[in-house]
């Protein structure tokens, strides 16, 4: 069966890492009888430059019709000086696809404990799934923009919290059976609604899943103190944005972290969690692994090709284990060399290479 994947390379290192995602999907497809068609479209800063709009109509239409969407990254200093923002294109895309459930797995690859800035005895065994609400909260509330005063409204409804909490509880059942819900219920009304909703859903439908609650400031500390205590972390849009960048470094680098943004009405959006990294863009230095692992998530979630996804994940594990990596993980390889090595490994891997958390990766 043929599947159409829309690629949105975007800005900065986005095109470099989107090429990686495409290359591994093309490498793995023939092994699993997959026929993939790729279409590229503009989003973000490059779309502002070409069409005056960060989310042009043609892009919106192609994404809506696709089986899945892959995004590199958007944004950069070029578009910081007023006028439309590239990031608005990404937010509009998430909203129109209904991509409310952002899964951000953070796994320290077994044998790669040296990549973590934490001591091995703290970091070893880190394997968590951050479930971030992606289409609500302060990102999408009413805004007032002003020179003297400005405001961003944070709003959540019970159904919005319930549907993302359900994703977290279901994920926990397939993992270690624990959910940590992160909020700021000591201060924020939306957090109190969040907490009450999560507690009620667990009581009604998921009594078998362990649930605890941690305030977001303490969570920032606990993640570093003892990351291995966490299984599924459930949180709202902005807290999830911040905590996932923090957590990614425990596994070595933000350049390694993938994500899937799932929808009830579409095959979803897949993107590495990092941004456009203007400081290294165009230099062939970007770590393509976050994008490559996002491609694996695309195959698993949108195309139901879990075996192909696992093959990519094993190839990445083997590549990093042998020391082929970019500078952010202490290696000396460029983006292209890593892509080629992973593609070579895809040809070679047959299931013999252990990968921590492979069974439970988002
Ligand atoms: P960033 O994630 O782009 O970069 C932060 C740091 O991490 C930089 O030092 C960068 O070089 C490094 N880094 C990031 N990805 C890397 C990779 N794959 N390999 C090696 N190093 C990597 O965050 P920022 O600098 O705060 O943001 C830059 C721009 O990206 C902003 O315009 C922001 O809005 C945008 N952004 C976009 C997305 C997205 O498109 N999904 C996500 C985050 C930030
Ligand atoms: C991310 C990014 C985006 C977010 C920005 C670019 C809108 O930081 O995907 O983590 O805040 O969600
Ligand atoms: Mn972010």
């Amino acid at each position: 069966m043929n599947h159409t994947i829309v690629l949105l390379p975007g800005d900065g290192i986005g095109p470099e890492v989107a090429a990686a995602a495409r290359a591994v999907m093309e490498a793995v497809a023939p092994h699993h009888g997959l026929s993939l068609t790729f279409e590229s479209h503009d989003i973000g800063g490059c779309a502002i430059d070409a069409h005056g709009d960060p989310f042009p109509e043609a892009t919106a239409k192609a994404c809506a019709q696709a089986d899945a969407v892959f995004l590199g990254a958007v944004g950069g200093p070029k578009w910081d000086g007023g006028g439309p923002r590239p990031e608005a294109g990404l937010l509009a895309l998430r909203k129109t696809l209904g991509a409310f459930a952002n899964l951000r797995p953070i796994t320290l690859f077994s044998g790669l404990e040296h990549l973590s800035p934490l001591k091995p005895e703290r970091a070893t065994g880190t394997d968590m799934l951050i479930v971030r609400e992606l289409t609500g909260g302060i990102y999408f509330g009413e805004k007032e923009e002003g020179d003297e005063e400005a405001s961003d409204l944070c709003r959540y409804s019970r159904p919005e919290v319930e549907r993302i909490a359900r994703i977290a509880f279901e994920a926990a059942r397939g993992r270690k059976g624990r959910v940590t819900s992160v909020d700021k219920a000591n201060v924020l009304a939306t957090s109190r609604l969040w907490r009450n909703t999560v507690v009620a859903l667990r009581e009604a439908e998921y009594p078998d899943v362990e649930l605890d609650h941690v305030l977001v400031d303490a969570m920032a500390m606990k993640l570093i103190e003892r990351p291995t205590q966490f299984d599924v972390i459930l949180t709202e849009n902005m807290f999830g944005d911040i905590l996932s960048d923090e957590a990614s470094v425990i596994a070595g680098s933000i350049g390694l972290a993938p994500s899937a943004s799932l929808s009830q009405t579409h095959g979803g959006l897949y993107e590495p969690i990092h941004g456009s990294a203007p400081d290294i863009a165009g230099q062939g230095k970007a770590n393509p692994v976050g994008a490559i692992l996002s491609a694996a998530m695309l195959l698993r979630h949108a195309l139901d090709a879990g075996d192909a996804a696992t093959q990519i994940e094993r190839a990445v594990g083997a590549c990093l284990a042998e020391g082929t990596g970019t500078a952010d993980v202490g290696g000396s390889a460029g983006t292209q060399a890593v892509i080629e090595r992973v593609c070579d490994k895809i040809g070679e891997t047959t299931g013999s290479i252990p990968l921590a958390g492979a069974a439970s990766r988002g």
Side-chain angles (χ1 to χ4, degrees):
M1 188 179 166
N2 187 62
H3 302 280
T4 301
I5 298 169
V6 162
L7 294 174
L8 305 175
D11 309 316
I13 63 169
E16 299 167 62
V17 302
R22 178 176 182 157
V24 296
M25 286 190 270
E26 284 179 334
V28 86
H31 297 271
H32 299 272
L34 293 168
S35 161
L36 307 178
T37 303
F38 294 94
E39 260 182 51
S40 287
H41 290 273
D42 292 335
I43 194 166
C46 65
I48 295 173
D49 290 351
H51 317 279
D53 180 352
F55 189 47
E57 194 47 48
T59 301
K61 199 169 163 213
C63 290
Q65 288 171 354
D67 293 302
V69 179
F70 179 92
L71 180 129
V74 295
K78 180 174 178 192
W79 303 280
D80 279 344
R85 291 203 60 96
E87 294 82 356
L90 174 54
L91 297 177
L93 170 65
R94 290 172 178 170
K95 196 73 172 178
T96 55
L97 296 183
F100 71 98
N102 184 217
L103 310 183
R104 297 188 160 190
I106 307 288
T107 307
L108 182 58
F109 286 68
S110 121
L112 299 179
E113 291 77 10
H114 60 283
L115 296 183
S116 180
L118 297 187
K119 295 187 183 101
E121 62 269 28
R122 285 183 185 232
T124 302
T126 295
D127 179 18
M128 61 181 104
L129 175 66
I130 298 178
V131 176
R132 170 190 176 196
E133 200 293 322
L134 201 63
T135 53
I138 197 165
Y139 277 56
F140 291 94
E142 192 178 292
K143 288 183 191 308
E144 278 176 35
E145 202 105 27
D147 290 334
E148 300 300 324
E149 240 182 72
S151 73
D152 298 276
L153 182 69
C154 184
R155 181 188 289 279
Y156 269 112
S157 68
R158 187 170 278 269
E160 274 180 304
V161 180
E162 229 168 55
R163 69 178 179 174
I164 191 69
R166 184 167 273 113
I167 298 277
F169 286 127
E170 291 289 339
R173 278 186 175 162
R175 295 173 50 103
K176 294 180 203 133
R178 287 202 310 272
V179 170
T180 302
S181 177
V182 178
D183 61 37
K184 186 76 184 169
N186 54 343
V187 176
L188 301 177
T190 42
S191 280
R192 288 188 283 274
L193 173 74
W194 183 278
R195 197 178 281 213
N196 292 339
T197 305
V198 172
V199 167
L201 181 66
R202 177 193 175 250
E203 272 171 24
E205 295 182 37
Y206 299 95
D208 52 307
V209 178
E210 259 180 68
L211 171 67
D212 63 348
H213 308 273
V214 179
L215 297 173
V216 64
D217 47 354
M219 189 65 185
M221 176 270 289
K222 285 174 191 246
L223 269 175
I224 299 299
E225 188 188 45
R226 199 157 65 86
T228 54
Q229 70 186 290
F230 299 110
D231 179 21
V232 175
I233 296 170
L234 163 66
T235 193
E236 60 110 275
N237 202 340
M238 188 159 74
F239 299 159
D241 179 43
I242 297 166
L243 293 176
S244 55
D245 270 29
E246 182 191 356
S248 72
V249 178
I250 299 165
S253 166
I254 193 170
L256 297 171
S259 85
S261 303
L262 307 182
S263 159
Q264 286 160 339
T265 54
H266 188 276
L269 168 65
Y270 301 83
E271 43 173 326
I273 81 162
H274 62 73
S276 61
D279 51 335
I280 57 164
Q283 300 172 34
K285 291 180 183 170
N287 190 338
V289 168
I292 289 171
L293 295 176
S294 301
M297 293 184 88
L298 183 159
L299 295 172
R300 179 176 291 123
H301 291 282
L303 308 190
D304 201 20
D307 290 349
T310 302
Q311 199 178 355
I312 292 175
E313 289 160 357
R314 289 199 167 119
V316 167
C319 178
L320 291 172
E322 73 176 19
T324 305
T326 43
D328 57 306
V329 289
S332 57
T335 309
Q336 195 52 38
V338 175
I339 297 171
E340 282 166 18
R341 199 71 190 123
V342 172
C343 289
D344 288 348
K345 295 274 180 199
I346 285 171
E348 294 165 18
T349 45
T350 54
S352 58
I353 295 153
L355 175 64
S360 57
R361 292 183 77 83

